[in-house]
Amino acid sequence: MQKVRTFTVTPSLPEPLKGLKDIAMNLFWTWNPEFAELFRRIDYNLWKQSGHNPVKMLGTVSQARLEDLANNEGFVYQLQQAEEKMQTSLEAPTWFDNLYSKGSKPLIAYFSAEFGIHESMPIYSGGLGILAGDHLKSASDLGIPLVGVGLMYQKGYFRQYLNTDGWQQEMYSENDFHNMPIELIRKKDDKPLTVTIPFPSRNVLAQIWKAKVGRVSLYLLDTNLPQNEQQDRHITQTLYGGDRETRISQELVLGIGGLKALFAMGIEPTVCHMNEGHAAFMALERVRILRSEKDMSFDEASEAAKSSNMFTVHTPVAAGNDEFPPDMVDKYLSGYYSKLGIDRETFLALGRIDPADKNEPFKMPVLAIKMSSSRNGVSQLHGEVSRKIWWNLWPELPVDEVPIDSVTNGIHAKTWISGELTQLYERYLGSKWSDEAVDKSIWHNVDQIPDEELWRIHQRGKERLVAFARQRLKRQLQRRGAYHTELGWAEEVLDPEALTIGFARRFATYKRGSLLLRDKDRLIKLLSSTDKPVQFIFAGKAHPKDHEGKELIRQIVHFTKQHDVRRRFVFLEDYDMDTARYLVQGVDVWLNNPRRPMEASGTSGMKAALNGVLNMSTLDGWWCEGYTPEGGWIIGSGEEYDDLEYQDQVESQAILNLLENEIVPLFYARSSDRLPRRWIRRMKNTVRWCAPRFNTSRMVAEYTRKHYNPAAARWDYLTASGMSRIKSLAAWKKQVRQAWPELAIQDVDVKVEEDTSLGDLTAKQPQLRVGSQVKVAAKVKLGKLKPDDVAVEIYHGKVDSEGNIQDGAVARMAYQGNGEAQEYADFAGTIPCRASGQHGFALRVLPKHPDLAEQYEPGMILWESAS
Ligand SMILES: *Cc1c(COP(=O)(O)O)cnc(C)c1O
């Protein structure tokens, strides 16, 4: 092989244009439309050819054009304005500064396998990544001290195109790192800083790229280094590509390498956030670092790490594929067991639901759950679903007490709302609407927007979408070698006046991309109406290995080719953030028909809603919270079915019924000035309800209040004074765990209003009046424990027909004496009878310590037993 010497060429910007580079190198421009405007002005064609990548464009624009612009006063002035705006925006006091300026500043590290910030940084595949990107943007807006950690993929996710049969083809294009808004982290001697990740019988090196996302830094690891063996250079090649070995290798680089990289740069996080289980090895590395630097045992170090790790789960099924067989874990991590100070079985147990099951694979979400102290699903419904899925990790608890709550997803408003609508919101809601987006009251002002104005802007979005779709379709046809006559057709496809319905998402089977096609005749009738035409735009990728998903795409494409529908039913290839923006800003209705409860949240519908697009969706994910009558529409009413075929039948008919009876007539009901006034009313209702709720400012603020700040405070408190608190907490826990089997609850006695003793209630079922107080006393055998070591609780509530307590509430019992001297301690408490019906209670004992991050410890929850 020949020796290649490399060098990097950078554009030579004339002095007055120097500022362009700073703007291009901070992804802040992606959510501030006036910056993109600047780049478009330089050379619109190059802007498009570069895939909206300003760094690349500045490298290719001709020197003559640059000189030209440097002498253009208008342009130079616009650039100066932009520079000033960027500077003042990034230096202004923030929400976080205002609220949390006292006390030490936490540092949150947010780990994710993908980040979707802009189409010109293709290191994302779909919703999870875009959520992560929007999280960083809002963290920047709010001034949260947060850094992102991810992987810099050489090829990223695949680009999609279809063959003439409609079968998905995948193409990977190289990411040219030197023409992207990223910079290598270098040491003092200018050599790239690298971290070493132990692999089976070798080390893998990774270098670190930094992307600026407004105020926030995103660090991306890259193993494509000449020092690595060929196979290791490819670890960070593609997102979600390769096999299980590739996956575990990527997750080692992300989790272990990611945390090492932060430490190597002198960044020591106080709170670590795992966005999905991919990043969970981070938690182990955190333990390893604590052990080696602070001389701690595994129990002590994991107690410390857990206290400030948090985990966001995104999957709605337990059988996700983010798990590894035990022998693969041995292969890659056996060297790590001793570094953590634990044996193989203890290690494998960290990723198992049933530690005794030697065949159970090592599950990354389980590791993340066990190594964190706060966890959440991504919508209220998904929180509920997650508590059910992971309930077997806390089998002693009632499902609704399983410690996984929810923070509903959002979207970054300024990224997804069209430039024109942004200006309209500025006019009617105030120039700071995006900073105050969580304030529900400002959104009442959407009622002040004249219908004409809102409709005109909406209509403009639709015209832009139609033009975009025509161009895209023409390119698609050209690539497939279509005849000229066919190309002519692409120029006339779609009608900017027609009711336009969008459906774009990953083609995973549960999303049921072809549901609409079940009754083709009825659908064709809608499509071919001449007075009330309806048209559909579809887009989306299937995972390369998902043949069923690809089959759905093929069915849709076959349908689009039928002569009587092809002008009104189109499929756009290569769904990405650019296509997504055109769609959510340009359609009238956003169709979403996942099989409940498989859609953890969904965010594309939020993007649509904030643009005034009406959602039509099954009651799943975010829509359970987003739907309001007179906003969008629901398909069915949240039913779940065992017979999936039947469900598809029912729900596809429901979609067509809605369209025929409600949506089409409403859209075409025009006032004398041709405005669909009742439709516009619904648009405003949608914006008013959804905008303050489903944006990432609300979401990131919620994470900060509920999770980041409490976790940071715990970390500061527990790790102060040489880790002494955490060490004594770990010692206490060990002692309680050992003594736990001796605990017992006995001699339960129940009284009403002091006087009448009801014994232990086992013999009779007394009738009590609403408003009475039930007094419960019990003796607890403490063994070696002190009364203060335990919380004795009455778990009470309505009893269902199966004899289980529903939505139980908890009342603490107070220690009454005796415990120090004698074997049994007395506890007593009271519960109210608030409503009529059958009620019941059960007694339980939990460990109690002021420093415990969470109350529920698997294996340390004792209920009074039934026998
Ligand atoms: C928003 C978005 C998604 C996620 O949409 P869902 O509603 O979660 O399916 C996926 N891909 C792209 C390109 C997006 O912009």
Side-chain angles (χ1 to χ4, degrees):
M1 196 176 154
Q2 71 274 57
K3 181 178 175 84
V4 180
R5 295 175 195 279
T6 60
F7 51 89
T8 314
V9 184
T10 54
S12 30
L13 291 172
E15 193 57 37
L17 303 187
K18 285 270 190 274
L20 280 172
K21 177 144 192 261
D22 291 336
I23 292 177
M25 287 298 284
N26 191 329
L27 288 149
F28 185 69
W29 74 262
T30 61
W31 70 95
N32 289 278
E34 59 273 44
F35 297 135
E37 173 57 38
L38 208 55
F39 296 128
R40 267 195 298 271
R41 243 184 107 173
I42 294 177
D43 187 329
Y44 188 56
N45 278 329
L46 273 184
W47 176 242
K48 281 205 294 193
Q49 277 163 27
S50 71
H52 306 156
N53 176 347
V55 179
K56 189 169 174 186
M57 184 187 76
L58 290 179
T60 41
V61 69
S62 71
Q63 209 57 38
R65 175 69 184 144
L66 289 175
E67 296 299 341
D68 203 27
L69 286 166
N71 294 320
N72 178 332
E73 274 178 36
F75 185 83
V76 172
Y77 178 74
Q78 197 185 348
L79 173 59
Q80 275 168 358
Q81 295 277 300
E83 280 182 81
E84 269 169 40
K85 167 162 179 192
M86 184 158 103
Q87 201 178 1
T88 48
S89 306
L90 296 182
E91 285 169 5
T94 65
W95 175 86
F96 188 88
D97 296 335
N98 293 339
L99 269 166
Y100 300 104
S101 53
K102 296 187 206 78
S104 62
K105 220 172 186 184
L107 184 82
I108 299 117
Y110 180 90
F111 290 77
S112 179
E114 45 170 323
F115 285 91
I117 297 164
H118 188 256
E119 60 267 22
S120 65
M121 281 268 279
I123 54 169
Y124 65 92
S125 93
L128 177 75
I130 288 163
L131 180 80
D134 284 359
H135 194 110
L136 299 192
K137 291 173 187 173
S138 280
S140 167
D141 293 342
L142 297 173
I144 314 284
L146 179 142
V147 296
V149 182
L151 299 178
M152 192 64 213
Y153 300 98
Q154 193 65 58
K155 295 189 170 170
Y157 202 54
F158 72 92
R159 312 280 309 263
Q160 175 199 51
Y161 67 98
L162 305 179
N163 69 13
T164 44
D165 183 34
W167 191 252
Q168 173 176 294
Q169 311 290 307
E170 291 106 29
M171 182 178 68
Y172 287 91
S173 42
E174 289 264 329
N175 281 328
D176 178 0
F177 295 171
H178 298 285
N179 274 320
M180 288 171 81
I182 52 176
E183 263 177 323
L184 254 189
I185 301 290
R186 294 176 185 277
K187 294 183 288 196
K188 282 208 189 72
D189 64 5
D190 214 40
K191 295 214 176 74
L193 178 68
T194 56
V195 289
T196 311
I197 304 131
F199 265 65
S201 63
R202 65 190 191 275
N203 282 322
V204 169
L205 296 187
Q207 57 183 3
I208 310 153
W209 296 90
K210 173 178 166 176
K212 287 191 224 153
V213 186
R215 294 181 175 89
V216 166
S217 299
L218 168 60
Y219 298 103
L220 299 161
L221 277 74
D222 164 20
T223 64
N224 186 12
L225 291 173
Q227 298 94 307
N228 284 332
E229 289 172 28
Q230 197 59 27
Q231 77 197 71
D232 296 337
R233 296 183 68 159
H234 289 165
I235 293 173
T236 52
Q237 187 163 55
T238 57
L239 170 60
Y240 304 145
D243 54 13
R244 301 313 300 155
E245 303 254 348
T246 319
R247 184 60 75 85
I248 197 170
S249 305
Q250 290 189 333
E251 294 189 354
L252 288 167
V253 174
L254 173 62
I256 295 175
L259 193 63
K260 276 195 159 178
L262 293 183
F263 274 81
M265 292 181 289
I267 300 170
E268 300 197 3
T270 52
V271 177
C272 293
H273 187 166
M274 298 169 264
N275 186 43
E276 192 55 304
H278 308 129
F281 288 137
M282 177 285 298
L284 300 176
E285 178 63 11
R286 207 172 177 200
V287 171
R288 191 199 63 79
I289 293 175
L290 278 166
R291 271 176 49 79
S292 77
E293 291 187 353
K294 311 277 185 204
D295 184 30
M296 296 166 97
S297 71
F298 174 79
D299 284 349
E300 291 163 352
S302 61
E303 203 64 51
K306 267 198 291 204
S307 75
S308 60
N309 284 342
M310 76 160 303
F311 173 47
T312 299
V313 60
H314 291 264
T315 41
V317 283
N321 56 3
D322 201 17
E323 58 181 37
F324 305 106
D327 55 345
M328 197 185 286
V329 177
D330 280 335
K331 175 174 165 192
Y332 282 90
L333 284 145
S334 55
Y336 215 71
Y337 305 162
S338 61
K339 289 184 191 158
L340 295 177
I342 53 179
D343 61 18
R344 173 177 186 267
E345 288 313 311
T346 315
F347 185 95
L348 290 173
L350 291 169
R352 281 180 176 153
I353 291 170
D354 176 8
D357 178 359
K358 303 264 183 274
N359 296 319
E360 188 180 333
F362 188 89
K363 301 183 168 71
M364 296 301 281
V366 172
L367 174 64
I369 287 173
K370 291 191 179 179
M371 293 303 292
S372 56
S373 58
S374 61
R375 318 160 185 97
N376 69 288
V378 290
S379 68
Q380 287 171 12
L381 177 66
H382 181 241
E384 246 170 69
V385 170
S386 304
R387 287 189 284 278
K388 282 194 199 129
I389 292 176
W390 302 111
W391 167 73
N392 46 15
L393 288 170
W394 290 270
E396 303 107 325
L397 282 182
V399 172
D400 48 287
E401 274 194 295
V402 167
I404 302 177
D405 72 353
S406 64
V407 175
T408 302
N409 283 166
I411 56 145
H412 186 255
K414 286 188 73 182
T415 296
W416 295 105
I417 295 177
S418 76
E420 282 152 337
L421 200 55
T422 298
Q423 284 174 8
L424 189 72
Y425 288 165
E426 269 167 24
R427 275 209 301 288
Y428 289 91
L429 313 178
S431 60
K432 291 202 176 306
W433 69 268
S434 65
D435 297 335
E436 297 162 2
V438 293
D439 180 355
K440 298 191 181 82
S441 66
I442 67 162
W443 292 99
H444 284 289
N445 292 337
V446 294
D447 289 337
Q448 306 305 320
I449 302 176
D451 288 356
E452 298 77 358
E453 273 191 75
L454 185 58
W455 191 248
R456 196 177 327 120
I457 281 171
H458 176 66
Q459 204 47 44
R460 279 276 302 133
K462 196 147 65 166
E463 284 157 16
R464 271 205 314 269
L465 168 63
V466 168
F468 172 79
R470 287 176 180 166
Q471 261 178 20
R472 263 291 169 91
L473 285 167
K474 196 165 166 184
R475 265 214 333 254
Q476 288 172 202
L477 287 170
Q478 274 167 334
R479 189 175 40 233
R480 288 183 219 150
Y483 301 115
H484 263 294
T485 43
E486 268 193 283
L487 294 182
W489 157 76
E491 279 161 12
E492 289 173 9
V493 78
L494 301 171
D495 170 0
E497 298 292 331
L499 171 60
T500 307
I501 299 175
F503 182 103
R505 44 189 48 83
R506 268 187 310 120
F507 273 82
T509 37
Y510 78 88
K511 296 196 186 231
R512 297 190 291 181
S514 64
L515 188 62
L516 202 62
L517 302 188
R518 283 183 70 99
D519 190 341
K520 294 203 178 74
D521 293 341
R522 242 178 117 182
L523 178 62
I524 289 173
K525 225 162 138 195
L526 276 171
L527 295 171
S528 37
S529 161
T530 43
D531 58 335
K532 291 175 181 166
V534 180
Q535 60 194 8
F536 286 84
I537 306 181
F538 274 68
K541 299 174 178 176
H543 187 277
K545 292 196 179 126
D546 180 4
H547 278 245
E548 273 183 85
K550 290 185 186 177
E551 185 50 44
L552 297 182
I553 295 177
R554 171 152 62 184
Q555 281 171 23
I556 288 170
V557 172
H558 277 220
F559 184 72
T560 63
K561 289 183 177 166
Q562 298 194 16
H563 207 75
D564 38 0
V565 302
R566 51 188 243 165
R567 283 197 53 209
R568 299 246 168 93
F569 202 97
V570 300
F571 186 92
L572 301 182
E573 293 174 9
D574 201 29
Y575 182 43
D576 67 354
M577 290 179 77
D578 189 30
T579 314
R581 269 198 314 274
Y582 278 104
L583 282 167
V584 300
Q585 297 172 2
V587 297
D588 299 300
V589 174
W590 193 249
L591 173 64
N592 181 43
N593 46 233
R595 201 188 291 289
R596 177 182 163 121
M598 298 294 288
E599 188 68 277
S601 166
T603 51
S604 57
M606 303 176 184
K607 300 168 194 165
L610 269 63
N611 279 292
V613 171
L614 304 184
N615 277 269
M616 165 169 45
S617 170
T618 42
L619 269 180
D620 197 8
W622 81 283
W623 191 233
C624 300
E625 296 155 64
Y627 170 70
T628 48
E630 299 298 305
W633 292 276
I634 47 179
I635 303 163
S637 46
E639 297 87 354
E640 288 168 29
Y641 295 78
D642 290 327
D643 183 344
L644 303 184
E645 181 61 29
Y646 177 63
Q647 174 176 24
D648 289 355
Q649 177 63 21
V650 171
E651 293 181 346
S652 62
Q653 290 297 319
I655 294 174
L656 290 164
N657 290 344
L658 260 178
L659 284 171
E660 287 170 2
N661 303 330
E662 168 98 12
I663 296 176
V664 176
L666 191 73
F667 183 83
Y668 286 106
R670 302 297 167 110
S671 58
S672 54
D673 49 6
R674 305 201 68 256
L675 288 176
R677 300 255 179 205
R678 279 165 49 217
W679 187 278
I680 297 170
R681 177 114 300 273
R682 279 181 177 260
M683 291 171 70
K684 291 179 179 175
N685 290 343
T686 294
V687 172
R688 187 168 355 91
W689 178 264
C690 293
R693 288 174 174 81
F694 304 104
N695 66 73
T696 37
S697 295
R698 189 273 306 147
M699 182 188 84
V700 172
E702 196 175 329
Y703 274 113
T704 306
R705 255 195 309 263
K706 283 214 304 218
H707 297 288
Y708 296 160
N709 274 315
R714 268 200 303 275
W715 172 264
D716 285 348
Y717 174 80
L718 289 172
T719 58
S721 45
M723 299 281 171
S724 61
R725 280 202 192 93
I726 202 79
K727 287 184 180 179
S728 64
L729 177 65
W732 172 86
K733 208 185 238 186
K734 189 170 174 193
Q735 188 196 337
V736 175
R737 194 175 284 284
Q738 276 165 0
W740 201 258
E742 289 173 46
L743 288 184
I745 302 172
Q746 290 187 343
D747 293 342
V748 177
D749 182 61
V750 184
K751 281 200 183 77
V752 184
E753 317 290 359
E754 295 300 348
D755 35 68
T756 356
S757 174
L758 303 169
D760 66 358
L761 277 199
T762 41
K764 44 188 178 268
Q765 283 228 348
Q767 306 236 336
L768 305 180
R769 277 179 213 293
V770 171
S772 12
Q773 300 281 326
V774 179
K775 296 193 179 271
V776 184
K779 286 191 188 302
V780 177
K781 183 181 171 203
L782 288 175
K784 295 199 186 60
L785 298 181
K786 297 195 189 58
D788 249 2
D789 292 331
V790 293
V792 184
E793 295 182 342
I794 315 172
Y795 182 77
H796 61 99
K798 272 191 122 99
V799 171
D800 67 12
S801 57
E802 310 260 308
N804 296 317
I805 295 171
Q806 290 296 305
D807 299 326
V810 169
R812 264 290 159 89
M813 296 175 83
Y815 171 56
Q816 305 291 311
N818 273 344
E820 310 287 351
Q822 307 202 357
E823 202 186 353
Y824 287 93
D826 290 322
F827 285 83
T830 309
I831 52 174
C833 301
R834 286 213 185 87
S836 59
Q838 191 174 40
H839 290 253
F841 70 85
L843 298 188
R844 68 182 183 191
V845 184
L846 304 169
K848 187 178 92 184
H849 191 285
D851 296 349
L852 267 186
E854 70 172 343
Q855 208 185 355
Y856 307 120
E857 287 282 331
M860 287 158 77
I861 302 166
L862 173 75
W863 294 88
E864 186 196 6
S865 62
S867 57

